Amino acid sequence: QAQLVESGGGLVQAGESLKLNCAASGRTSNRNNIGWFRQAPGKERELVAAITFTGVRTYYADSVKGRFTISRDNAQNTVYLQMDSLKPEDTAVYYCNVVIWVTGVPDTIRDAHWGQGTQVSVSS
């Protein structure tokens, strides 16, 4: 079980960039597949990007493909989400969590626990 803390959000204007951090606290294995999710007001939570524990396989939602880049530094137990060319539609609370990734689109584990996330607000 991973304990993950999101940070790096903020208020930016359209076209600017942010880099989110997902840090594992405590003695946590760095072999987990990790996904970044977001939830905008009045909308369902959606998967934005994911990365395997090896860091060589990634997934991106069509809405962010080409603009967002997920990466990880297992030595620091941290997964990053570099967000470039931000749009107002990217405004949401962003969460990270462990994901299962066998085939198709990554998915959360059973009884996944969600933290507070980090707020990303993009103004035009």
Side-chain angles (χ1 to χ4, degrees):
Q1 182 177 357
Q3 291 182 306
L4 305 174
V5 178
E6 304 92 343
S7 63
L11 174 61
V12 298
Q13 294 184 342
E16 295 182 341
S17 299
L18 283 172
K19 188 173 185 178
L20 306 183
N21 307 310
C22 175
S25 61
R27 295 187 294 273
T28 303
S29 173
N30 62 8
R31 296 184 178 181
N32 294 311
N33 305 322
I34 298 295
W36 278 101
F37 301 80
R38 68 185 181 187
Q39 186 168 21
K43 299 182 64 177
E44 297 292 325
R45 183 185 65 242
E46 63 175 339
L47 176 66
V48 175
I51 189 168
T52 59
F53 72 89
T54 63
V56 300
R57 183 183 175 193
T58 57
Y59 166 88
Y60 297 98
D62 290 340
S63 59
V64 306
K65 193 173 300 181
R67 299 188 297 118
F68 291 9
T69 303
I70 189 170
S71 62
R72 69 189 303 161
D73 186 341
N74 288 340
Q76 297 184 8
N77 291 329
T78 304
V79 176
Y80 306 96
L81 185 66
Q82 176 67 44
M83 305 184 295
D84 298 321
S85 302
L86 282 164
K87 305 175 180 180
E89 307 92 271
D90 297 318
T91 296
V93 178
Y94 284 71
Y95 306 87
C96 61
N97 216 329
V98 177
V99 295
I100 299 174
W101 198 352
V102 180
T103 59
V105 180
D107 198 7
T108 54
I109 62 174
R110 180 187 297 179
D111 299 325
H113 179 266
W114 300 92
Q116 292 184 311
T118 184
Q119 176 71 51
V120 173
S121 299
V122 185
S123 64
S124 59

